[in-house]
Amino acid sequence: MSSTIHLSITIRTKPDKVAEMKALIVDLASYVEKTEPGILKYQIFEEETANGHVFIIQEIYEDQAAFDFHHGTESYQTATKRFVEWLASPVEIRRLTPFAGFASR
């Protein structure tokens, strides 16, 4: 059995805070790419819906240690404290288990 951890995170942002949220997410993603080799995927998508702006983050962690390390970093802690006021609704976090298909060619 694989020890990788797959997450899908949905963030709905207040309309007047989209630019700030986007900048924060971009900064965090850049930090993760440079400093956290245990994160195998950290990809952000966005969607404008009738109900507002949505960011979806797909994360794949090498293992539980990489997951724990990321969530314990100062950058993660600071980011989550900052953006809580910008949320239109609670963050949705789904832990997923892949069972078919492929990730890349």
Side-chain angles (χ1 to χ4, degrees), residues 21-33 75 82:
M21 183 69 82
K22 188 179 248 185
L24 184 131
I25 290 172
V26 166
D27 287 347
L28 185 58
S30 177
Y31 175 83
V32 165
E33 184 177 20
S75 62
R82 282 183 58 207

Side-chain angles (χ1 to χ4, degrees), residues 15-102:
D16 62 331
K17 297 298 182 185
V18 171
E20 290 95 322
M21 183 69 82
K22 188 179 248 185
L24 184 131
I25 290 172
V26 166
D27 287 347
L28 185 58
S30 177
Y31 175 83
V32 165
E33 184 177 20
K34 293 174 187 169
T35 65
E36 297 187 50
I39 298 180
L40 307 175
K41 179 179 182 178
Y42 198 85
Q43 190 170 21
I44 297 94
F45 301 86
E46 64 180 323
E47 177 184 21
E48 185 64 42
T49 71
N51 297 322
H53 205 89
V54 178
F55 295 99
I56 298 171
I57 305 173
Q58 293 181 350
E59 302 176 1
I60 301 175
Y61 296 86
E62 188 172 66
D63 54 23
Q64 186 66 46
F67 176 86
D68 293 342
F69 179 83
H70 174 67
H71 289 89
T73 63
E74 184 177 336
S75 62
Y76 174 83
Q77 296 295 323
T78 300
T80 56
K81 287 177 186 168
R82 282 183 58 207
F83 80 61
V84 72
E85 298 294 322
W86 305 342
L87 297 174
S89 63
V91 174
E92 298 171 26
I93 301 171
R94 293 180 183 90
R95 188 166 178 161
L96 307 171
T97 303
F99 72 95
F102 59 92

